[in-house]
Amino acid sequence: MLNKTIRVRVPGTSANCGPGFDAIGVACTIYNELELTFLEEQGIVIDIEGEGAGNIPRDERNIVVRSIRLILKRARMADKVQGFRIRMKNNIPLSRGLGSSAAAIVAGLKAANTLLDNRFSRRELLQMATDIEGHPDNVAPAIFGGFTVSVVTRGRVECFSLMPRMALKLVVAVPEFPLSTKLARSVLPQEVPLKDAVFNVSRAALLVAALLKGHPRFLRSALSDALHQPYREKLIPGMKDVFRAAHKAGALGASLSGAGPCLMAYALQDEEAVGEAMVKAFAQHGIEAHALQLAIDSHGARILKRH
């Protein structure tokens, strides 16, 4: 266990997926990698390259470190592992709604658990990750891959994952400004009208059914939302116009990715044209952006190398 190294890869994720607020998420083919070594000597060494390299803490505040500390505590190994070395290679943009914090949490838990001879199941890792993150909608797909549907009952997380019966492409417009989850949550009301609750329940059910049955024609309606997107729209200039541009270019539907500001379109084809149209629509509102053409990751967090 000590002085052994493990390398893991964790996908980025998009939460909410339209109407599935804090419940539905999807894993995307953009990845962070983490290399972890448990050391005999005390101290933490953290090397970071890629996204956030100049801003991510390199001490106990680092969310990867917090995740490792938690799993060591749960395994009653906190006294035996004196230190560790962490190397992070980040491709997931920070504070954009693509699950960068969830990927960091899951990477720390997955790597540490492997060095502990996998004493915790993926379901137990999901519970720990949710305890750290506060909700499961990003950490669940990061662990299991595919689309995930999660519920929390008295603090206990339940989740299942599925792959849709259609070859969906995920086109993400990434604006060049961050948006903190705290700010995005602060604009949400504490109570919503009954009609809005019914609107979302019906569309979340329709979304899952359309994915399972492979009926893409339902996605445009199924991705509509009344609980969070109307309130967050003011934080993302041109959001509705970007959605309209995606639809016009051939997307099946579009939604806010997580808390934003990324906007995600779902397509079966023409993903380059969809991405270009979304970027152009952002530019018309003075927002610089770039597009990512992604697919659905079906594996979730996985081990790349042991040595």
Side-chain angles (χ1 to χ4, degrees):
M1 178 182 69
L2 294 176
N3 296 316
K4 291 183 178 179
T5 298
I6 198 76
R7 185 155 61 97
V8 302
R9 186 180 75 171
V10 182
T13 53
S14 179
N16 302 325
C17 298
F21 183 69
D22 278 2
I24 300 177
V26 62
C28 313
T29 52
I30 184 170
Y31 301 95
N32 283 356
E33 294 182 9
L34 174 74
E35 189 175 274
L36 172 65
T37 307
F38 284 163
L39 304 174
E40 294 181 17
E41 62 271 19
Q42 292 185 350
I44 303 172
V45 179
I46 302 177
D47 295 318
I48 306 169
E49 64 174 283
E51 295 284 343
N55 302 315
I56 296 174
R58 287 172 164 80
D59 53 26
E60 293 286 346
R61 295 172 297 163
N62 189 295
I63 199 165
V64 174
V65 174
R66 290 164 49 199
S67 302
I68 296 168
R69 293 290 191 203
L70 175 62
I71 201 168
L72 288 172
K73 182 180 178 181
R74 297 281 176 89
R76 299 182 180 179
M77 296 292 292
D79 294 335
K80 294 186 179 180
V81 179
Q82 296 298 310
F84 31 87
R85 181 172 61 246
I86 297 169
R87 291 192 174 98
M88 303 168 64
K89 183 178 180 182
N90 296 338
N91 295 306
I92 304 169
L94 269 64
S95 299
R96 295 298 197 281
L98 285 175
S100 59
S101 64
I105 291 167
V106 171
L109 293 174
K110 179 76 172 179
N113 190 51
T114 304
L115 291 176
L116 294 170
D117 297 322
N118 293 308
R119 66 180 62 191
F120 299 102
S121 69
R122 288 202 296 177
R123 297 286 170 180
E124 290 171 312
L125 295 185
L126 172 62
Q127 186 67 59
M128 285 185 245
T130 301
D131 291 343
I132 297 169
E133 178 83 335
H135 39 86
D137 52 342
N138 280 112
V139 295
I143 293 171
F144 293 100
F147 279 89
T148 57
V149 181
S150 306
V151 300
V152 181
T153 306
R154 293 185 291 277
R156 180 173 172 269
V157 186
E158 295 177 286
C159 162
F160 73 84
S161 63
L162 64 100
M163 285 296 292
R165 293 184 62 183
M166 58 184 102
L168 279 179
K169 305 297 182 184
L170 309 175
V171 184
V172 187
V174 186
E176 298 300 319
F177 67 89
L179 178 58
S180 74
T181 301
K182 183 178 180 180
L183 174 59
R185 282 192 174 268
S186 71
V187 300
L188 301 181
Q190 292 300 307
E191 297 180 355
V192 296
L194 177 62
K195 65 180 178 62
D196 289 347
V198 173
F199 182 98
N200 269 57
V201 168
S202 62
R203 279 154 181 80
L206 181 64
L207 175 60
V208 174
L211 294 172
L212 286 171
K213 299 293 287 184
H215 290 316
R217 67 187 180 89
F218 290 107
L219 286 188
R220 184 162 185 173
S221 295
L223 289 165
S224 300
D225 166 79
L227 295 187
H228 69 106
Q229 290 184 172
Y231 304 100
R232 289 169 166 170
E233 181 185 346
K234 61 186 177 184
L235 302 176
I236 304 166
M239 188 174 87
K240 281 188 176 179
D241 287 338
V242 176
F243 286 169
R244 278 191 283 265
H247 295 146
K248 189 174 181 180
L252 298 169
S255 64
L256 183 60
S257 182
C262 282
L263 304 180
M264 179 173 284
Y266 298 75
L268 294 177
Q269 57 190 13
D270 300 324
E271 54 266 33
E272 272 196 37
V274 171
E276 290 173 3
M278 296 172 78
V279 169
K280 184 177 179 181
F282 260 132
Q284 290 171 349
H285 288 267
I287 302 296
E288 186 178 349
H290 67 277
L292 301 173
Q293 280 85 42
L294 307 175
I296 300 171
D297 173 273
S298 61
H299 297 287
R302 63 192 308 181
I303 304 302
L304 290 181
K305 189 176 181 182
R306 307 168 188 254
H307 58 83

